[in-house]
Amino acid sequence: MPIPLRESPAMRLAFLLIALAAPAGAACRGETLFSCEIGSKQLEVCLSGQSVSYRFGPPGRPEMDLTTPLSQTAYQPWPGVGRAIWEAVSFTNRGTTYEVWSSFDRLDPDARPEGGVNVMNGDALAAQLTCRPGSMRAGLDLLYEAKEAIGQCWNRERQAWTAPPCAP
């Protein structure tokens, strides 16, 4: 029996524990949805009103700051099946896509959350950066609720966000 995407207590608990166990992001304007350390730099995804931002660089001084309207944000929620709870959000700038991801093995009681960013030039993987263990704070699932709040619906069959009316 599949676990419902938004109703799983295990999913909510896992992300709550992740958020409480790691330090908060320092530079987001609005709400920090994801943050972690990669080397000496910080990766952040922020929600501010109707915008979602990708920030990467030294703490408090990002070298890259991309902002996308929430309605156009490419967010892939966890499909509700499989061993790992995962999700991703992508930002594109001049043909380069920055896909921020987080994952948690829900069946392993000793599992630690993982995350990072995949940098793609077209279809080619240019870089794969992983968060330092223990530095991650994730809550990308809040994008699901934010997109619903502006009237978008997740269509599981098409794996895409659509405008209402939403199919059951």
Side-chain angles (χ1 to χ4, degrees):
M1 178 171 150
I3 295 174
L5 176 61
R6 295 179 356 98
E7 304 297 326
S8 169
M11 181 177 158
R12 290 281 180 207
L13 178 61
F15 282 108
L16 177 62
L17 292 175
I18 291 166
L20 294 175
C28 275
R29 292 175 298 276
E31 186 172 4
T32 302
L33 301 178
F34 179 96
S35 70
C36 76
E37 296 170 9
I38 297 176
S40 63
K41 299 186 179 183
Q42 185 162 9
L43 168 63
E44 295 177 313
V45 175
C46 311
L47 176 63
S48 180
Q50 298 292 308
S51 299
V52 182
S53 298
Y54 166 89
R55 298 167 55 93
F56 185 77
R61 297 185 332 265
E63 297 162 345
M64 180 168 292
D65 190 344
L66 304 174
T67 300
T68 303
L70 177 60
S71 62
Q72 297 172 25
T73 298
Y75 167 63
Q76 168 68 50
W78 178 53
V81 296
R83 181 177 181 111
I85 296 172
W86 62 269
E87 57 197 336
V89 61
S90 299
F91 300 85
T92 302
N93 184 37
R94 299 182 189 168
T96 301
T97 300
Y98 304 87
E99 179 190 53
V100 178
W101 61 274
S102 65
S103 179
F104 182 81
D105 184 340
R106 66 188 177 96
L107 300 179
D108 180 353
D110 299 321
R112 297 192 81 184
E114 299 176 342
V117 61
N118 297 324
V119 181
M120 307 287 294
N121 286 328
D123 290 334
L125 181 64
Q128 194 169 31
L129 307 173
T130 304
C131 297
R132 183 179 57 78
S135 73
M136 195 172 92
R137 176 180 175 220
L140 289 176
D141 62 318
L142 295 176
L143 281 172
Y144 196 103
E145 294 170 11
K147 287 180 94 44
E148 280 188 329
I150 62 168
Q152 293 186 334
C153 312
W154 179 248
N155 184 311
R156 287 185 189 209
E157 290 178 16
R158 291 187 16 217
Q159 293 291 295
W161 289 95
T162 61
C166 300

